[in-house]
Amino acid sequence: MTGPIVSGKDPRFERTLYAHVGKEGSWTLDYYLRHGGYETARKVLKEKTPEEVIEEVKRSGLRGRGGAGFPTGVKWSFMPKDGRQHYLICNADESEPGSFKDRYILEDVPHLLIEGMILAGYAIRATVGYIYVRGEYRKAADRLEAAIQEALARGYLGDNLFGTDFSFRLYVHRGAGAYICGEETALMNSLEGLRANPRLKPPFPAQSGLWGKPTTINNVETLASVVPILERGADWFASMGTEGSKGMKLYQISGPVRRPGVYELPMGTTLRELIYDWAGGPLEPIQALIPGGSSTPPLPFTDEILDTPMSYEHLQAKGSLLGTGGVILIPERVSMVDAMWNVTRFYAHESCGKCTPCREGVAGFMVNLFAKIGSGEGEEKDVANLENLLDLIEGRSFCPLADAAVWPVRGSLRHFKDQYLALAREKRPVPKVSLWR
């Protein structure tokens, strides 16, 4: 997959974040200005107070698009009004397997993100911002740095923006390819030049974050969404989506499907609509899907699941999560045990090793149990031990990484336990096949 699939127009909604993705020169300042760029920031900084901006974002119903889904305006309101230096951090460490939506904002419309950060910085009274970019996203980091220099040279970043007393400076920090840096406190440690281990909370970042100062961390898609919300109003954004999941969402789909890519669609679009109407349907028989990136529990590929709206509340009711909205199709020819073994190895490799449940539970016992069952040497009691082990790990680790390793395995055992038991009873190894032909 070399780029996103940007589908044709639909009269039911209008794309905003991906409206210019794939267009020649869309990453330049001149292109952005020709399409109304920075006009929203100019108007808001001159006409609204920070409190009014926060209230507008609250009213829109925007929830964090990085996976947790916490209400964005509420998160901003936690920042104190104490006169100290405040920081805004954009989490662009997009490392969740199955997720690749932020990459194209960074590469193709970096000024949209910059404008979103100006608006967010104004709302939380932060005068300095950092964009923490995944180490492998070299092109994205290059484009961002060039865009920041363009904005500085033309007065869209720096001191006294648009003739107001608000100043904002922005910096790019390149990560080194560590998944753990997606956790906000590990990210801050990495920014400070420390080892990327998560911090104990409380204190939370809004009280003591980067260098001990009040800090807010938001995802790329979240910050970019602020621009159209403040341009068109909270009511426009809230008119799309479901009761608990408002606005548009960047859904991703990968695996054996005709048109893999990123689709900007209203929250609550069903899995069936995404897979068949937009992505063209599967290329082969499918047994399961992962709805929100590798850390979300897989679900069986049934009519009931396909007709489920992709929203926070509806997917949770089905026993899974929306996560980042990264849908992965798993074909029938692939063993679910092997798929989960692969996922477990990923999280074991990415564990920072700080806490016992993750270091010993995920990187030790889970990996070893999967190796035993998957190699044909397992017994039925090993499947039971794996289930019991999940209870000992979930909710007991220092950060959510261990939970992210547990949830997909727990989901696979809920719906596909027969495949685990068959391997244990028949003493046969999992067939090694690729997810993609």
Side-chain angles (χ1 to χ4, degrees), residues 12-13 240-241 247-249 251 264-270 310:
R12 296 171 298 172
F13 54 85
M240 299 176 286
M248 299 285 282
K249 175 80 183 83
Y251 294 110
E264 187 177 4
L265 300 168
M267 276 282 202
T269 298
T270 66
M310 286 187 291

Side-chain angles (χ1 to χ4, degrees), residues 179-391:
Y179 177 86
I180 189 65
C181 290
E183 198 280 328
E184 60 183 16
T185 62
L187 184 155
M188 290 189 294
N189 271 351
S190 179
L191 259 177
E192 292 181 11
L194 305 173
R195 180 172 176 172
N197 283 349
R199 302 176 182 177
L200 182 65
K201 293 187 286 191
F204 294 95
Q207 283 74 50
S208 178
L210 191 64
W211 293 299
K213 300 297 193 295
T215 304
T216 290
I217 301 101
N218 287 126
N219 167 261
V220 173
E221 183 185 353
T222 309
L223 289 165
S225 297
V226 172
V227 180
I229 288 172
L230 293 177
E231 176 191 0
R232 304 178 185 214
D235 292 339
W236 164 80
F237 191 81
S239 69
M240 299 176 286
T242 67
E243 184 63 31
S245 306
K246 301 295 186 183
M248 299 285 282
K249 175 80 183 83
L250 295 177
Y251 294 110
Q252 308 118 99
I253 183 166
S254 59
V257 66
R258 293 186 185 281
R259 293 192 295 272
V262 185
Y263 294 87
E264 187 177 4
L265 300 168
M267 276 282 202
T269 298
T270 66
L271 284 157
R272 187 187 300 278
E273 288 175 308
L274 174 65
I275 296 167
Y276 287 93
D277 296 349
W278 295 101
L283 293 171
E284 58 181 293
I286 304 297
Q287 65 171 321
L289 60 85
I290 295 173
S294 63
S295 62
T296 59
L299 296 168
F301 199 77
T302 62
D303 286 337
E304 178 187 352
I305 297 302
L306 289 173
D307 291 327
T308 300
M310 286 187 291
S311 69
Y312 296 107
E313 64 271 28
H314 289 95
L315 283 170
Q316 188 171 3
K318 296 297 181 184
S320 192
L321 299 164
L322 177 64
T324 62
V327 177
I328 305 170
L329 301 187
I330 302 177
E332 290 182 355
R333 61 186 171 81
V334 172
S335 165
M336 285 299 295
V337 179
D338 193 33
M340 293 302 105
W341 187 6
N342 190 38
V343 168
T344 300
R345 286 198 300 267
F346 168 79
Y347 287 111
H349 180 268
E350 297 298 332
S351 171
C352 74
K354 180 172 182 173
C355 67
T356 303
C358 195
R359 183 183 63 249
E360 306 297 336
V362 176
F365 289 107
M366 279 183 70
V367 169
N368 291 338
L369 282 169
F370 266 107
K372 187 177 180 183
I373 297 168
S375 64
E377 299 176 0
E379 304 173 50
E380 288 190 41
K381 69 177 183 180
D382 293 316
V383 179
N385 287 340
L386 180 59
E387 287 187 287
N388 293 333
L389 178 63
L390 301 182
D391 293 331

Side-chain angles (χ1 to χ4, degrees), residues 65 72 95 178 210 244 249 292 371 375 406 415:
R65 302 301 202 231
T72 304
S95 305
L210 191 64
K249 175 80 183 83
S375 64
V406 165
H415 298 293

Side-chain angles (χ1 to χ4, degrees), residues 32 42 49 87 96 102 115 137 146 165 286 292 374 421:
Y32 192 61
R42 182 191 304 275
T49 65
Y87 293 106
E96 177 87 352
D102 296 339
E115 185 171 8
Y137 280 11
D165 60 0
I286 304 297
L421 293 173

